[in-house]
Every structure is written in structure tokens, then in C-alpha cells.
Amino acid sequence: MNLTGFRSTAPISIPSLKDLPKLFQHFWKHGVTDEDHDSLSKSTLPNPMFARSLEDTFTLHYGTDPILGFHLANAYAPLTSGSPLKLFGNSHLHKVVAAARVQFREWSTSFRNCAQKNLTIRFFAGDALAFCHTLQHKRTVGDRSQSNWYRDQYHLEPLILDGEDYTSKGKAPLLFNVIDTSNLLDHVGAINILVAASPLLENSISATLYTEALVKKQEDLKALVDSILCGHFPTLSILFGLMPIEYWTNSSATSSVEEHLLNNITRTMGHRDSNKGQMHSRLTWKRLVADLNTVPVIHFHESELAQILYQFYLKMFQNEDMTQIFSKIDLQTIWNSSLLHYHRGSLASFLCFVKKRVVVDWNESMNIFLSLVENDSTLLMGKNYLQELYLQLHLHDLYTVSTFKPPFNCTSHSQTLKGLGAWKEIPAVLCITLKVPRVKLGAITEVPWKELGTPVLHCVLQSSSNYPGRQWQNIFAVVQLAFGEITTSGSRCDDSFRVNVAEDVHSWNGRSSLIVSFVAPSWVVLLEEHAATVALGVQSTPQSSRTFVNSLGLDMNIYKTTLRNEDNVYMTRFRPNLPGHASVCNFEDSSRVGKKHTNEDVATTVRANVDIKTGQITTLIGRLDILSDSIKPSLSKGATVETVQVSPCSIGIAIGKTGPKFDLLFPVPVLRSQSKARIARKSHYIEVVAPMADPRDGNGFSHFMYPMFPSKGGPVIWNMPRLNLDCLPIFNISKKKELEWLTTHTSLMFSSRERHLRENSMNSSTGNNKDARLNLKDSLFSLFMHFSGLQGQQARVFVITNPDHGGIHILVFVSCLRLDLANHTVVLDVAILPLHNPLMPKIRPFLENLMEVGLCSVIADSDELRLWKEIIPAWVERCRQWEHRPSCAYRSESKIPLSVEFGQNPICSCGEGTLPPGYTFDLPRWDLARKYAVRAAISPSFSVPFVEQSFEGNKIPNLAALYETGCRVCGKGKSDDGGKDLMKCGRCKAVRYCSAGCQKVDWKEHKKVCTK
């Protein structure tokens, strides 16, 4: 049963569980979404997508469903008569299809409107990583050379940006404000994506890179994030120079509630496939730009950086760790170990990236790192890939081992001066091109396509049986494949020898040989220039071994020959059709400064402390070197030094009570409260050793939820999506029975930890809770419940009060409750009015009359009130349809919010009174308040599931009964005992069985998830 449509109907997914599987089955039966029987009976042409799937060379994804790309919740929502996206129909089934069609029409209209405003769309057909690296190269060197990348891994066509837009006078961008990689992460790996794409981000506060994962590779989202960067998530993020903003804020205006419910359903119903399926997550990556100032690069001790890289290496190639694989043999482990994204070239690309972002003695760090790799016994095949690692390090100018230094033709090989030995200048690295006869490909082509998958191929160089020394074997995973015919130029005895390939457009369906090329160390080839064997094989994984060992043997070689076979083996300086080696990480990193961030008075540096055992950054050391001769004496004579938390990513240092103040900027949030200061009065420097905040245990910043920054182009919100409120559907809140799901939905913005804190505070004698974020969520829950009337007295006007400090501080006037389709949640469309001292006399008559109308008072302590003021600017900005004035206070004050103090206004005045027509409330003297109120969009604030557990699985209602209508084992609709209704599990009351026998068969699996 396909349940992936569950996401498309969020946040009203439960009712869709009975409908979407029927629509899915209907589409696969008829090839259309139309349910009209007359139309179906008149159809004479098949859906071409299904017709093509009859061919062996075409595989239609099993989950293909045309409506899943649309937001379908409005098909189940009780909407007002005049609501946008209001649907009409007799059944939910009809409404679901109608919802998709209405949205497609609206999107098309919007696109046409945008296209009239000088919209340019450029398409590229090829490998995304190759394209990104080519853009990097283009930006750095211009038209002076080509990047030497192929269009993709299965062609030998060079990727050359030769269109008019990419000339020196072209308009095509080489840097981008937004890069959305969809779920490429599932197919090529997060490391490869970030290395290739992140250098293409503009150096601006608004630049954003999105990554998504959809394939389920881990048990939960927390485990996924722990594995996604092949190491400690915060440590690797720092090395990438990126801030995964949801991780550090643990806040999102986008709901993932349905994702957890879907996982729960899958675990309950699809017990035998519980480790398969989907698990969606989306990460937002920002430049490491703290407080609009460029963050200095991080200093490392050589051995500590080497440990980080070594632990990264072990994680990157954990599929070669047989001990780990066999320690937990299940479908998930087999699947993960068979899905390979990385090779030693990927590792070298990452190291090339890191080299540009750290301050360290690089050669020394590489010496230590390689020593750890060379002596490692964890990875079974590690030593077989050592030469490819050395080769890639040399190609990327990262490190050169002695065997890669000339001369290369003085090794103990036959001095025949023929072929490679006759070259005047033998390069450290050469390309071997192997022509594999088509007849040899039967090992692949004869495997049924459903069993074949996408086997990973590699090439092997191995000593002959007659080699006089110790036998050797080297594997090379960085290979290029294509079908075609080879032509050569020059003599094999000269280093000008070249190979060109004319590709066969028929590929697997043609008659040409398979052309495979890879690069290898020259010194290895010269060990046995003619007798050594070269082979094309299948890389060993649990899946490939099961498929190929019987037909190919343990080595799984498809084709094998010797280097002397001139008909099938070619050695050249570079790969076919290319004049050089591929350009990797060829970019100038404008986001960083030099080794020290210096002004006239001080210089600052940041150094990392690393746990040698785990390879994780534990603390960051910010150092302030005093340069000014006017400040040095004060420090030498014992002036007090005080530190203060200026922002999550900066700590201020004050020298003396009236002396100067300076800020230390860090790449991630750090805790001043747990920091230590070291003062060198004679050497004139101050160090602050601060641990990184850990949002996973609540040890972060309650107020760091939706950071917002001023910029030249206007305010920038980092992690709250913008909304066009006027386009969102409006709920009819009088239909409370159809809104009961809203209580559960909004209550799940609390994490499991917060829920425990909330329950404990309710049970305590004081009832007080000191967590400002938890209190804010409680207040938001009250707003949604009271406005909808689901709990308590219904209200439209809310006042945020602090009885200890002046009473009312914020007024919230709720116009309506809207359905936020894109973010799978709801949003209150409100007019908000923060009260401040200059405003009070202007609206006093309104305030006096307000006390006489029905309103809901929400009490907030000082910390929560401050948090309200921190977030209000983001709620306002996200739905803004007016322009900020040139004199905007955000710009002149260079901060957002403007203030969180009592009696001060947190927001600028640019949007005051800009409420839409008809935005009125039946309140005395509303005209006074309207002039100063501003529109805002208030959403529930959800915890981020990969930071902390959203809820405990056994506390979630078992949802199987909502969609399981037959016996859990055999699917029968009636019991075996005279056709009576099915029997329910006596414990969970959720799953059903037709007989005691079926229940007994299923108990082994069901007991894992069965709860009372």
C-alpha cells in the first residue's frame, strides 16, 4: 500500500489514509486521474509513460503518482465560502484530484506573470557535480582554460560552457543567492554536494543552500543527521564554513509532524519492510557570517585536524568495515553498505575544500593523517585504495608522497625503451584507457534488470604471477565509462600520444566496445609495464556480491587483460578527449578573512580544541591580541576583564570599567556562561575558551529561534519561510468537529523534552517554568486554541501581559486562521501592535475602551516577553507586502529587533497602518489602533526532529486502525468464524485479525510496536 501521499495532505493527513491509496491504485489501473466512467470508456490511447515501461530498458518508479507533487490538504479542510483554493465536490476523492488541478492552474498563471518580468531559465543536461565544478572553474579562470570535466560519468563529451551567456560579456550568473539541490543527497552524497555547490553561494547574509533527503537510511532523523556529513555534525559544518540553521536554532515554522506519523504508520503496518521506504528531511545551510561580519578562518593543531580527518575517512568508507557490517546484519545495513556515494577522489575533493578554510601546517597535518590511514586495520580494503588516495592528493596539490616525485623511469622494470619507458618526460600520473569487448558485458546485460540495480564498477591494477617481488594489487574507483570507437594520434613511445573516442549514441543497445578510463600512478605501472594485469570489475558490496559472485567469481572481474595488450590498453597523459586533469575546488573563498581579523587596536583569531579520541571539536578559543599602545598599559596594570554574551556567536570583552570593548566572533553559537578567560597581561592578549552550544540537550539559546538581520536589500530572515497570506485558504472555524485535528497538530510543536518540562511545571506547587521558549510555545498554543474555540472561550483579541512590568505590552488582533499548505501547518493572520512609550498617548482612548470588550489575556514573564519581541519582526517581515523606507530604523540602527526592553518598540515603523482593505475589527476607536498596527503571520513553532525527539513513539496513538480494514496477515475482510467482524489485538486495539492463527503468526513482529 502506497502511503507517501500522506505528506501531500499535511497537516490534515489522517482522513486521506483511506482515499489516497484508492487514487493511487486507480491511476496505475487506468493511467489517468480522471474518475469519470464515461470519459474512461471513451479513452482509446494509453498513457505513453506506462507504454514505455513495457520495455526492458525503462523502469517506471513504483511510487509514481501525479498528484503527490501538489498540496492537497484543502481537499479535507473546512474552508469559508470565499476562501482561496476552495473546492467543490461530492467526495474527498473528487476534491483531491480537483485540488491538484486548481493548484496547477494557479501555479501556471503565476509562472506566466513572472515570465513577463524578464525571467531567464537555463537548462543543463548532465551531472550536477560536474556542472558545479565547471562553474567554479569558470568563475576563477574565465575563458583561459576548460575545467576538464565530462558531461557525466557515462559519456566522454567534455563539459564546456561555450554558450554566449558564458562568454566574458555574458550575463549568466556564476554565483547564486539560492541553490536548491532537491534530494540529490540520496543519490550522490551530502559531502559531494557541499564541496561542489557551496562555493557557488554569494557571500551575503541571505545566501542559502538547501539539501533534502527522502530515502530512509537510518532509524530516525537524528541518526540521519549524525551520519550525513560522515562525522560529528557541528565539527564538519565548521569545516565546510556553513551553518545548518535549523540545527542551531532548533526552531522551524514548517511542520514535520506528518513525517513522524508516517514513520509510525510504516513501522506499525509494514513490519517486514520497516527499514525501507522514505524519511523526508530538509536542511537549510547558510554562510558562516556572524552578526554581518566575516568570520575568521579556524586555527587547528596539526594532530587534532588530522584526527578529525581520520575519523571522517573511517565514516566515509564505513562500507569497507566488515566488522561493523556483520555486527548488525539487517536489510537497512545491507542497503546502506550497497549504496556507495564516495571514493578516494571524493575524499581528496573534500580535503581540497578544507585546506582553504583552516590555518594549519598543512603538510604536517597530512603526514599525521596519512600515517593513521596507512596503519589502519579497520577498513578491509583500505590498503588496496592507498595508491588512488596518494594519486588524488597529488592531483589536487594537497600532498605528494615520495613515489610521485620524478624521476619515474629509474625503477626496477625492463629497460626496453618501448611504450611508456620511451617517453621523454613521464608524468607522476597517467591515464589508462581500457577497451572492453562487448561480448564480455554479458555478465551485466544478462542479469534481470530487477536484480541488477546500478552496480559500481572499478578498475584493478595487479602484479603478474611472475613478478619477482611481493605481489601487489591496487584498486581505482574513479572511472569514466562510455561506448564508442577509439582513434589515436601520435606514437605510443611519445608522451604526446592521445586517445580520442567517438561515442556510440546507441550506448548499451549499440555494437561498440565499452571504453573505460582511469588514472594511475606511473611508478606502479612501471613496476611491470607489460606483464601487469588490468581489469574492469564490480565493486564488492553485499548486494553486488549476491548478484555477481556466482557468475564472475570472488574477484567479480568483468574483463581482464595485461598492459602489453595494445589492442585493448592505451596509456596517455590525460583522459580521452581532454587536454588536462579535472579542476576541483578551483575557487577563491571570499567569505573568509585572513589568519587574523585586525583593526587598529586589536587582532582576533579563533582556534579549535579537538577531542583526539573522537575527532570532535569540543571548545573554541577566541584570542584578542592588544595592538594599541594606549590599551596595553591598562591591561598590564591589572585592569579588570569582563566577558558578556553579545549574541549566540559572539562574546564581548570589556577591559576596565570604562575602557574599550571588543567582540570575539565565533563560527557557531558558544556559551559564555561556561567559558573561561585567560589573561596574559605581560604578553598583552586575552583568550576566551568557550564550549559550543548543544541544542540537542536544551543547552542552547532560548531566544535564538528565528534570527533576522538588516542588509542593503532589506531585512533577511534566516529560517522562517515567506508567505503570501492573501493566497492561503481560510478555515471556517465554526466547524469545530472538522478542526479537532488542530489540537494535536499545534500540541506537537513541543518536543518530548519540552513536554516533560511542561507536565512537571503543571504538577509543581508554583506552576512556574523558567524556559522562555517553552512558555512562548504555550502562549502560541493558547492563541490557536482560543481563536478556534477548540479549548476555552473563543476570542479574536489577545493581549500579552506582564503584570510585574507595566501590564499589557503587545496586542494581537486575529483576522482569520489560514492553511499554510507549503509548510504543512496553519497560520494566524493577525494585526499586531507592540505597545511602547511614545505610542501610548496616541492610542489612549482605544486602550481605555479595549478593557470593556472580550479579550484573552496571555501572561508572559520577562524572559518570554523578550522572546516575543525577538520574533515579532520575523512574523511581520515574512508576510510583508510594503516597502521599507530609506530611513528605516532597521538600517539606521543596524539591528533587528530594535529593542527588547520594556516600553521600547521592537519593529520599525515602515509598515504601520498598512493593513489590507476590509481588515477591520468591531472595536471602539479601532481607527486609532489601525494607524499603528502591522500585519503579521503567526505560525506554531516546531522543534526540529533531527535536533531532539519530537515525541516518544509509544506515546503516539496507534494509527493502524484508521486505514487497516482487513486482517493484518492475510487481508481478509471477515473472520473465519462464520464471517463475523475481525478481532482486534487485545492490547493495542488497533490491528485486526481474522483468526487466532493469523494473530499468532504476526505476534513476533507486531509485539515490537504493540502498546496499550
Side-chain angles (χ1 to χ4, degrees), residues 878-910:
R878 71 184 305 209
C879 62
R880 173 176 61 85
Q881 293 182 323
W882 39 266
E883 297 294 327
H884 284 279
R885 295 189 290 264
S887 59
C888 177
Y890 289 158
R891 182 176 299 179
S892 60
E893 297 293 326
S894 296
K895 62 179 181 179
I896 306 175
L898 297 176
S899 175
V900 295
E901 300 302 323
F902 298 119
Q904 301 298 313
N905 194 359
I907 59 177
C908 69
S909 60
C910 301

Short mmCIF file of all heavy atoms in Angstrom, two decimals, residues 878-910:
data_model
loop_
_atom_site.label_atom_id
_atom_site.label_comp_id
_atom_site.label_asym_id
_atom_site.label_seq_id
_atom_site.Cartn_x
_atom_site.Cartn_y
_atom_site.Cartn_z
N ARG A 878 7.83 38.26 7.23
CA ARG A 878 7.57 37.09 6.38
C ARG A 878 6.35 37.29 5.47
O ARG A 878 6.21 36.61 4.45
CB ARG A 878 7.38 35.84 7.24
CG ARG A 878 6.09 35.82 8.04
CD ARG A 878 5.97 34.62 8.94
NE ARG A 878 6.10 33.36 8.24
CZ ARG A 878 5.52 32.23 8.63
NH1 ARG A 878 4.74 32.22 9.71
NH2 ARG A 878 5.69 31.11 7.96
N CYS A 879 5.44 38.17 5.84
CA CYS A 879 4.26 38.39 5.01
C CYS A 879 4.18 39.83 4.48
O CYS A 879 3.13 40.28 4.03
CB CYS A 879 2.99 38.05 5.79
SG CYS A 879 2.70 39.06 7.27
N ARG A 880 5.29 40.54 4.55
CA ARG A 880 5.31 41.96 4.17
C ARG A 880 4.99 42.14 2.69
O ARG A 880 5.54 41.46 1.83
CB ARG A 880 6.70 42.54 4.47
CG ARG A 880 6.92 43.96 3.96
CD ARG A 880 8.27 44.49 4.39
NE ARG A 880 9.38 43.71 3.86
CZ ARG A 880 9.92 43.90 2.66
NH1 ARG A 880 9.43 44.83 1.84
NH2 ARG A 880 10.94 43.16 2.27
N GLN A 881 4.10 43.10 2.39
CA GLN A 881 3.80 43.47 1.03
C GLN A 881 3.99 44.97 0.80
O GLN A 881 3.54 45.53 -0.18
CB GLN A 881 2.35 43.07 0.67
CG GLN A 881 2.15 41.56 0.62
CD GLN A 881 0.75 41.16 0.23
OE1 GLN A 881 -0.21 41.81 0.62
NE2 GLN A 881 0.63 40.10 -0.56
N TRP A 882 4.66 45.61 1.73
CA TRP A 882 5.01 47.02 1.64
C TRP A 882 6.52 47.16 1.60
O TRP A 882 7.25 46.18 1.85
CB TRP A 882 4.42 47.80 2.83
CG TRP A 882 4.51 47.05 4.15
CD1 TRP A 882 3.56 46.26 4.71
CD2 TRP A 882 5.63 47.01 5.05
NE1 TRP A 882 4.00 45.72 5.90
CE2 TRP A 882 5.27 46.17 6.14
CE3 TRP A 882 6.89 47.59 5.06
CZ2 TRP A 882 6.12 45.91 7.19
CZ3 TRP A 882 7.73 47.35 6.12
CH2 TRP A 882 7.36 46.51 7.17
N GLU A 883 7.01 48.33 1.26
CA GLU A 883 8.43 48.56 1.12
C GLU A 883 9.00 49.27 2.35
O GLU A 883 8.36 50.17 2.91
CB GLU A 883 8.73 49.41 -0.12
CG GLU A 883 8.34 48.75 -1.44
CD GLU A 883 9.17 47.51 -1.71
OE1 GLU A 883 10.34 47.48 -1.32
OE2 GLU A 883 8.61 46.57 -2.33
N HIS A 884 10.18 48.87 2.77
CA HIS A 884 10.88 49.59 3.82
C HIS A 884 11.36 50.93 3.29
O HIS A 884 11.85 51.02 2.15
CB HIS A 884 12.08 48.79 4.33
CG HIS A 884 11.69 47.66 5.22
ND1 HIS A 884 11.40 47.81 6.56
CD2 HIS A 884 11.52 46.33 4.95
CE1 HIS A 884 11.09 46.63 7.08
NE2 HIS A 884 11.15 45.72 6.13
N ARG A 885 11.22 51.95 4.10
CA ARG A 885 11.66 53.28 3.68
C ARG A 885 13.18 53.39 3.74
O ARG A 885 13.83 52.65 4.50
CB ARG A 885 11.02 54.35 4.58
CG ARG A 885 9.52 54.44 4.47
CD ARG A 885 8.98 55.65 5.21
NE ARG A 885 9.10 55.47 6.66
CZ ARG A 885 8.13 55.02 7.44
NH1 ARG A 885 6.96 54.67 6.91
NH2 ARG A 885 8.31 54.91 8.75
N PRO A 886 13.78 54.31 2.97
CA PRO A 886 15.24 54.51 3.06
C PRO A 886 15.68 54.86 4.47
O PRO A 886 16.82 54.57 4.87
CB PRO A 886 15.49 55.66 2.08
CG PRO A 886 14.35 55.59 1.12
CD PRO A 886 13.17 55.13 1.90
N SER A 887 14.78 55.48 5.24
CA SER A 887 15.12 55.89 6.61
C SER A 887 14.76 54.82 7.63
O SER A 887 14.72 55.11 8.84
CB SER A 887 14.38 57.18 6.95
OG SER A 887 12.97 57.00 6.83
N CYS A 888 14.50 53.59 7.17
CA CYS A 888 14.09 52.52 8.07
C CYS A 888 15.03 52.39 9.26
O CYS A 888 16.26 52.41 9.12
CB CYS A 888 14.04 51.19 7.31
SG CYS A 888 13.63 49.76 8.33
N ALA A 889 14.43 52.26 10.45
CA ALA A 889 15.24 52.18 11.67
C ALA A 889 16.11 50.93 11.70
O ALA A 889 17.17 50.92 12.33
CB ALA A 889 14.32 52.22 12.89
N TYR A 890 15.67 49.85 11.03
CA TYR A 890 16.50 48.65 10.97
C TYR A 890 17.85 48.98 10.35
O TYR A 890 18.90 48.50 10.79
CB TYR A 890 15.82 47.56 10.13
CG TYR A 890 14.61 46.92 10.76
CD1 TYR A 890 13.66 46.27 9.96
CD2 TYR A 890 14.40 46.92 12.14
CE1 TYR A 890 12.54 45.66 10.51
CE2 TYR A 890 13.29 46.33 12.69
CZ TYR A 890 12.36 45.69 11.88
OH TYR A 890 11.26 45.08 12.44
N ARG A 891 17.81 49.78 9.29
CA ARG A 891 19.04 50.12 8.59
C ARG A 891 19.88 51.11 9.39
O ARG A 891 21.10 50.95 9.53
CB ARG A 891 18.70 50.72 7.22
CG ARG A 891 19.92 51.06 6.38
CD ARG A 891 19.53 51.55 4.99
NE ARG A 891 18.80 50.53 4.25
CZ ARG A 891 18.32 50.72 3.02
NH1 ARG A 891 18.47 51.88 2.42
NH2 ARG A 891 17.68 49.74 2.41
N SER A 892 19.24 52.14 9.95
CA SER A 892 20.00 53.15 10.69
C SER A 892 20.57 52.62 11.99
O SER A 892 21.67 52.99 12.40
CB SER A 892 19.12 54.38 10.95
OG SER A 892 17.98 54.02 11.72
N GLU A 893 19.82 51.72 12.65
CA GLU A 893 20.29 51.17 13.92
C GLU A 893 21.13 49.91 13.72
O GLU A 893 21.81 49.46 14.65
CB GLU A 893 19.10 50.84 14.81
CG GLU A 893 18.26 52.04 15.22
CD GLU A 893 19.03 52.98 16.13
OE1 GLU A 893 19.85 52.50 16.93
OE2 GLU A 893 18.81 54.20 16.03
N SER A 894 21.09 49.32 12.52
CA SER A 894 21.85 48.10 12.18
C SER A 894 21.57 46.95 13.15
O SER A 894 22.47 46.20 13.53
CB SER A 894 23.36 48.39 12.15
OG SER A 894 23.65 49.30 11.12
N LYS A 895 20.30 46.81 13.53
CA LYS A 895 19.95 45.68 14.39
C LYS A 895 18.46 45.39 14.28
O LYS A 895 17.66 46.28 14.00
CB LYS A 895 20.33 45.93 15.85
CG LYS A 895 19.62 47.12 16.49
CD LYS A 895 20.06 47.28 17.94
CE LYS A 895 19.34 48.46 18.60
NZ LYS A 895 19.76 48.62 20.03
N ILE A 896 18.12 44.11 14.47
CA ILE A 896 16.74 43.64 14.50
C ILE A 896 16.65 42.56 15.59
O ILE A 896 17.43 41.60 15.53
CB ILE A 896 16.30 43.05 13.14
CG1 ILE A 896 16.54 44.04 12.01
CG2 ILE A 896 14.84 42.64 13.18
CD1 ILE A 896 16.26 43.46 10.62
N PRO A 897 15.74 42.70 16.53
CA PRO A 897 14.79 43.79 16.75
C PRO A 897 15.48 45.07 17.20
O PRO A 897 16.65 45.05 17.62
CB PRO A 897 13.89 43.23 17.85
CG PRO A 897 14.79 42.30 18.62
CD PRO A 897 15.68 41.67 17.59
N LEU A 898 14.74 46.18 17.13
CA LEU A 898 15.32 47.45 17.54
C LEU A 898 15.58 47.47 19.03
O LEU A 898 16.57 48.04 19.50
CB LEU A 898 14.37 48.60 17.16
CG LEU A 898 14.12 48.77 15.66
CD1 LEU A 898 13.09 49.87 15.42
CD2 LEU A 898 15.42 49.09 14.93
N SER A 899 14.69 46.83 19.80
CA SER A 899 14.87 46.74 21.25
C SER A 899 13.96 45.67 21.81
O SER A 899 12.89 45.39 21.24
CB SER A 899 14.55 48.09 21.91
OG SER A 899 14.61 47.97 23.33
N VAL A 900 14.38 45.06 22.90
CA VAL A 900 13.52 44.10 23.61
C VAL A 900 13.22 44.60 25.03
O VAL A 900 12.68 43.86 25.85
CB VAL A 900 14.18 42.70 23.67
CG1 VAL A 900 14.30 42.13 22.27
CG2 VAL A 900 15.53 42.76 24.36
N GLU A 901 13.56 45.85 25.27
CA GLU A 901 13.37 46.42 26.60
C GLU A 901 11.92 46.84 26.79
O GLU A 901 11.19 47.10 25.84
CB GLU A 901 14.30 47.62 26.80
CG GLU A 901 15.78 47.30 26.68
CD GLU A 901 16.24 46.23 27.65
OE1 GLU A 901 15.73 46.23 28.80
OE2 GLU A 901 17.07 45.39 27.27
N PHE A 902 11.49 46.92 28.06
CA PHE A 902 10.15 47.37 28.38
C PHE A 902 9.93 48.79 27.87
O PHE A 902 10.81 49.66 28.01
CB PHE A 902 9.91 47.35 29.90
CG PHE A 902 10.02 45.97 30.50
CD1 PHE A 902 10.98 45.69 31.47
CD2 PHE A 902 9.16 44.96 30.10
CE1 PHE A 902 11.07 44.43 32.01
CE2 PHE A 902 9.26 43.69 30.66
CZ PHE A 902 10.22 43.42 31.61
N GLY A 903 8.79 49.01 27.26
CA GLY A 903 8.45 50.35 26.79
C GLY A 903 9.09 50.73 25.47
O GLY A 903 8.90 51.85 25.01
N GLN A 904 9.84 49.81 24.84
CA GLN A 904 10.51 50.11 23.58
C GLN A 904 9.88 49.28 22.45
O GLN A 904 9.39 48.18 22.68
CB GLN A 904 12.00 49.80 23.68
CG GLN A 904 12.73 50.58 24.77
CD GLN A 904 12.68 52.07 24.54
OE1 GLN A 904 12.94 52.54 23.42
NE2 GLN A 904 12.35 52.84 25.58
N ASN A 905 9.93 49.82 21.24
CA ASN A 905 9.33 49.16 20.09
C ASN A 905 10.34 48.22 19.43
O ASN A 905 11.45 48.64 19.10
CB ASN A 905 8.87 50.21 19.07
CG ASN A 905 7.95 49.62 18.01
OD1 ASN A 905 7.66 48.43 18.01
ND2 ASN A 905 7.48 50.47 17.11
N PRO A 906 9.99 46.94 19.22
CA PRO A 906 10.94 46.02 18.60
C PRO A 906 10.99 46.14 17.08
O PRO A 906 11.95 45.66 16.46
CB PRO A 906 10.41 44.64 19.01
CG PRO A 906 8.93 44.85 19.15
CD PRO A 906 8.77 46.25 19.66
N ILE A 907 9.98 46.73 16.44
CA ILE A 907 9.91 46.74 14.98
C ILE A 907 9.99 48.16 14.44
O ILE A 907 9.71 49.13 15.15
CB ILE A 907 8.62 46.06 14.47
CG1 ILE A 907 7.38 46.76 15.01
CG2 ILE A 907 8.62 44.59 14.84
CD1 ILE A 907 6.07 46.19 14.49
N CYS A 908 10.34 48.26 13.17
CA CYS A 908 10.41 49.56 12.52
C CYS A 908 8.98 50.06 12.25
O CYS A 908 8.01 49.30 12.34
CB CYS A 908 11.19 49.48 11.21
SG CYS A 908 10.35 48.55 9.90
N SER A 909 8.87 51.32 11.87
CA SER A 909 7.56 51.92 11.66
C SER A 909 7.13 51.90 10.20
O SER A 909 6.05 52.41 9.86
CB SER A 909 7.58 53.38 12.15
OG SER A 909 8.56 54.14 11.43
N CYS A 910 7.92 51.29 9.32
CA CYS A 910 7.63 51.35 7.88
C CYS A 910 6.29 50.73 7.52
O CYS A 910 5.63 51.16 6.56
CB CYS A 910 8.74 50.66 7.10
SG CYS A 910 10.39 51.37 7.35
#
